[in-house]
Amino acid sequence: MDWGSVNFDWNHARAFLISAEQGSLSAAARLLNTSQPTLSRQVAALEQELGITLFERVGKGLQLTDSGAALLEHLRPMGEAANRFALTAAGQSQLTEGPVCIAASEIDAIFRLPAVIDAIRQREPGIQLEIVVSNNISDLQRREADIAIRSLRPEQPDLIVRKLADEPIWLYGSHEYLNNLDTVNKTAGKSKTSIDPHIQIIGFERNDRLMNILNQHGWQLSQKNFSIVTTFQMLQWQLVKQGNGLGFFPQQIGDAEPAFRRAFSERGAPVTVPLWLVCHRELRTNPRVKRVFDLLAEMLTEEN
């Protein structure tokens, strides 16, 4: 192999790859934890090294040139190989001190992780924790996190999965909101299990999925019953607290909130969601990742 012909800096190539995948320099800079001007200089340096224009700047975004698109197809496998190299190297590391990144949803980060983080800090003060909070699924194969708490079982064979619990998801409401529903039913001569046609449920998205799940359990709902939708779970929490409607929350979390009570518990939990702990197989041999994984499994299993 003629290594002398490989005359570009890999860091510059990485800047180009991530900028192309993200569609803008600002988004790529956030992902790489660097500044936009620095990333722009790296991409410009690669263009100079190769003697090729890779991007056309369109407004605040980037548009690949034909040459840039052709080179990107070769660069993607290089990025995947570099990621596998980094994963394997991290798995081989025997350092008990250092960073570990945990990915969790908003609701898990707020209500489950603080006690776990406190325990990890007390037992393993040399481990530095980074918490990625998002309702989107983190890609562990691309090192977006080392460990993830998920409600969906991953299918990738190179991920290690441990089931923590099957958790019922109930509808919760404020005492005032549910007492008002009880009064309406009593006045109309209906039982507590009757569904007021004007009931409001805080939804996640403007689609029929949640409505269809409830209707399969004997409810009769339409989109009029979902006047507010948001994927931000802590906004859902506050809206329910203020009496704007009912919201879906895990049993262990919802039951612990004094301001809430279960709605229509006589009908049973509409949904049961599994809780999974996930880690990349390569990282499970890393002692600090293994320690955090085991502590998460221990404490989150005890809670449920």
Side-chain angles (χ1 to χ4, degrees):
M1 180 173 177
D2 181 11
W3 286 104
S5 64
V6 182
N7 58 354
F8 63 88
D9 187 311
W10 164 246
N11 286 323
H12 298 164
R14 182 183 67 159
F16 164 55
L17 171 63
I18 296 176
S19 297
E21 289 183 337
Q22 295 297 309
S24 75
L25 290 170
S26 57
R30 286 193 296 271
L31 196 61
L32 289 173
N33 195 28
T34 188
S35 68
Q36 182 175 335
T38 297
L39 200 67
S40 180
R41 286 193 296 270
Q42 290 176 336
V43 173
L46 181 65
E47 290 178 321
Q48 185 174 1
E49 289 163 356
L50 300 177
I52 294 171
T53 300
L54 301 170
F55 289 122
E56 298 289 349
R57 274 65 173 178
V58 181
K60 294 184 179 180
L62 300 172
Q63 183 173 324
L64 283 166
T65 63
D66 291 342
S67 296
L71 289 176
L72 184 62
E73 293 308 307
H74 295 287
L75 194 54
R76 282 197 173 107
M78 292 172 60
E80 291 168 0
N83 184 60
R84 289 193 299 271
F85 176 86
L87 270 172
T88 302
Q92 296 299 314
S93 171
Q94 294 304 304
L95 295 176
T96 56
E97 298 184 353
V100 176
C101 181
I102 304 169
S105 69
E106 295 159 1
I107 200 95
D108 288 332
I110 292 292
F111 293 103
R112 300 190 201 273
L113 282 187
V116 180
I117 291 170
D118 183 58
I120 293 171
R121 294 296 302 136
Q122 290 187 36
R123 300 187 201 182
E124 302 292 342
I127 293 178
Q128 302 149 12
L129 295 175
E130 177 185 356
I131 315 300
V132 176
V133 181
S134 174
N135 292 333
N136 296 323
I137 295 177
S138 297
D139 190 341
L140 300 189
Q141 294 177 305
R142 300 190 69 177
R143 291 301 301 278
E144 292 179 359
D146 299 319
I147 302 169
I149 303 168
R150 293 184 181 175
S151 58
L152 293 174
R153 182 187 176 105
E155 300 297 331
Q156 298 93 326
D158 51 355
L159 297 183
I160 291 175
V161 180
R162 177 165 176 177
K163 189 173 186 179
L164 302 175
D166 281 313
E167 187 161 43
I169 307 295
W170 296 89
L171 274 170
Y172 288 89
S174 68
H175 293 283
E176 181 181 4
Y177 187 86
L178 292 174
N179 288 339
N180 288 338
L181 287 180
D182 291 343
T183 300
V184 169
N185 284 337
K186 185 176 181 180
T187 302
K190 299 178 180 178
S191 69
K192 286 188 176 182
T193 60
S194 298
I195 307 300
D196 188 308
H198 304 295
I199 194 172
Q200 286 298 307
I201 298 172
I202 312 299
F204 289 85
E205 296 175 311
R206 187 63 70 194
N207 59 35
D208 295 340
R209 183 183 175 191
L210 186 56
M211 181 181 71
N212 291 337
I213 290 173
L214 292 172
N215 286 344
Q216 289 169 9
H217 285 75
W219 299 54
Q220 294 180 345
L221 303 174
S222 70
Q223 282 297 336
K224 292 180 180 179
N225 301 105
F226 298 86
S227 296
I228 305 173
V229 297
T230 175
T231 58
F232 184 26
Q233 290 175 300
M234 294 318 300
L235 177 57
Q236 294 178 2
W237 184 270
Q238 292 300 326
L239 289 170
V240 172
K241 239 182 190 181
Q242 292 173 5
N244 287 278
L246 307 178
F248 276 101
F249 302 110
Q251 175 176 297
Q252 186 256 344
I253 293 172
D255 282 359
E257 173 52 58
F260 290 172
R261 70 178 170 92
R262 296 182 196 175
F264 309 107
S265 57
E266 300 86 353
R267 290 174 169 265
V271 185
T272 298
V273 173
L275 196 64
W276 302 95
L277 196 60
V278 187
C279 177
H280 197 283
R281 189 176 302 278
E282 293 284 0
L283 292 181
R284 192 66 170 89
T285 57
N286 179 301
R288 64 180 183 273
V289 174
K290 182 179 185 301
R291 181 61 173 149
V292 173
F293 185 97
D294 291 343
L295 284 171
L296 281 165
E298 173 191 332
M299 295 194 67
L300 294 178
T301 302
E302 284 178 358
E303 284 184 0
N304 292 280

